[in-house]
Amino acid sequence: MLQGQIRKMKVEAIDGKVQYQLNLDDQSQQMNDLLGQRIRLDFSGDIHCIHCHKKTKKSFSQGYCFNCFRKLAACDTCIMSPEKCHFHLGTCREPEWAEQFCMQSHYVYLANSSALKIGITRGDQLPIRWIDQGATQARPIFRVENRRLSGLVETLFKSEVADKTNWRNMLKGSDLVLDLEAEQERLIGQLYEGLDSLQQEFGLQAITDLSDQNETHEFTYPVLEYPTKITSLNAEKTPVIEGVLMGIKGQYLILDTGVINLRKYTGYQASLSF
């Protein structure tokens, strides 16, 4: 049995095949090894902030107490909406943190997670970001100089393509295969004027077109059987979650009794037995 504080599962792709590792404090478990086995998660009800480590009655922004949620730059509204970044206005909550995480190159990408979507991430989060979203295909299309600009490019593309994953459809395991290179060419053609305007504003070197430099990445997930009906398991209502592990995709465990998004419970104290 493993016991400790939940963090999102560590992921890696080996020849496109996704591997998952669950860490509870200093203990770890290779989750792919548990496919087909009955597992049990016991949630104690205790939650500790992943930043200050204080006990909290409620988790905010996936693992923070209310005080940290209010003061940390990592919890600001611009994290979810990067086009709202206000670093350049001198009002960032933590300028040093922003220098490390926001004021560096980001990638704008296309992915197939339940359908075509646009997204952004730092370069050091590839391919982790794609796997966390359950993408079966992904392709970087631009490299930009900072997080705010990535958000502005993403916002431009949102007029033509979704920026959210339909997690229920993602967990049903659609076999849809997209030609992301063709989609990239189509969208850039439609949005050329907007991209040109951003380059005029931020400089020609601020947005690098990766059309000729990248290939489409493909991922397969450790799933024995996808559910036909999605039943979401809530650890706050049912602190004991158990069932046969049928698969893992995104940050979801797919059990024969329902699905649970482990990332939602970051900071929660739990034990895993099998």
Side-chain angles (χ1 to χ4, degrees):
M1 182 176 75
L2 288 72
Q3 188 170 1
Q5 186 184 59
I6 288 182
R7 297 290 184 106
K8 80 181 186 74
M9 290 180 284
K10 290 187 175 182
V11 300
E12 65 173 334
I14 301 175
D15 296 327
K17 297 179 179 180
V18 180
Q19 306 289 320
Y20 285 92
Q21 177 179 299
L22 175 63
N23 293 331
L24 296 177
D25 291 345
D26 59 351
Q27 301 172 299
S28 64
Q29 173 62 44
Q30 298 297 327
M31 296 302 291
N32 295 51
D33 294 343
L34 300 182
L35 282 178
Q37 296 188 42
R38 189 168 189 85
I39 67 170
R40 172 170 168 156
L41 283 165
D42 288 83
F43 290 81
S44 69
D46 289 342
I47 310 171
H48 289 83
C49 176
I50 60 174
H51 180 75
C52 72
H53 309 297
K54 291 182 179 178
K55 191 173 182 178
T56 177
K57 292 183 178 179
K58 185 177 179 181
S59 174
F60 297 84
S61 192
Q62 295 181 337
Y64 298 92
C65 67
F66 185 65
N67 285 338
C68 288
F69 171 72
R70 291 185 62 186
K71 71 180 184 181
L72 295 179
C75 300
D76 205 346
T77 55
C78 52
I79 296 302
M80 294 300 295
S81 302
E83 70 278 6
K84 296 179 181 179
C85 171
H86 46 97
F87 181 91
H88 62 293
L89 300 176
T91 54
C92 180
R93 293 178 179 181
E94 296 178 277
E96 291 184 1
W97 183 90
E99 287 281 3
Q100 181 180 358
F101 292 98
C102 303
M103 305 308 293
Q104 62 167 278
S105 62
H106 279 60
Y107 287 85
V108 182
Y109 62 83
L110 289 176
N112 176 12
S113 53
S114 57
L116 184 66
K117 75 175 292 290
I118 191 78
I120 67 162
T121 191
R122 297 195 313 272
D124 60 3
Q125 289 299 298
L126 295 179
I128 296 170
R129 178 66 171 165
W130 299 333
I131 295 171
D132 283 348
Q133 293 182 339
T136 53
Q137 299 171 277
R139 181 183 181 88
I141 57 175
F142 297 109
R143 184 175 63 248
V144 302
E145 64 181 8
N146 58 50
R147 185 173 177 82
R148 176 176 176 241
L149 184 52
S150 73
L152 292 172
V153 174
E154 181 186 43
T155 298
L156 182 65
F157 275 74
K158 281 162 57 175
S159 64
E160 299 293 333
V161 63
D163 67 327
K164 298 288 190 298
T165 297
N166 184 320
W167 65 272
R168 290 183 178 274
N169 287 343
M170 180 269 289
L171 291 176
K172 290 180 180 178
S174 169
D175 293 327
L176 175 68
V177 177
L178 299 174
D179 186 338
L180 294 188
E181 186 175 4
E183 292 291 349
Q184 172 182 338
E185 184 176 344
R186 174 181 68 84
L187 289 167
I188 291 176
Q190 290 178 338
L191 301 169
Y192 177 80
E193 290 185 2
L195 290 167
D196 186 59
S197 294
L198 287 174
Q199 283 191 310
Q200 292 296 322
E201 180 179 354
F202 292 94
L204 294 177
Q205 304 303 316
I207 303 175
T208 302
D209 187 341
L210 302 177
S211 298
D212 299 327
Q213 302 178 31
N214 284 284
E215 61 181 352
T216 296
H217 300 261
E218 298 184 349
F219 306 98
T220 56
Y221 293 85
V223 179
L224 298 178
E225 183 179 334
Y226 284 103
T228 55
K229 180 181 179 182
I230 303 298
T231 301
S232 183
L233 302 173
N234 188 329
E236 293 184 344
K237 295 181 179 179
T238 309
V240 177
I241 305 290
E242 57 184 329
V244 176
L245 182 62
M246 303 302 294
I248 315 168
K249 194 175 185 184
Q251 284 288 320
Y252 286 83
L253 299 183
I254 304 171
L255 308 177
D256 64 347
T257 53
V259 303
I260 180 169
N261 180 6
L262 286 189
R263 191 168 191 175
K264 178 181 177 180
Y265 298 101
T266 301
Y268 285 63
Q269 296 292 314
S271 61
L272 170 68
S273 54
F274 46 89

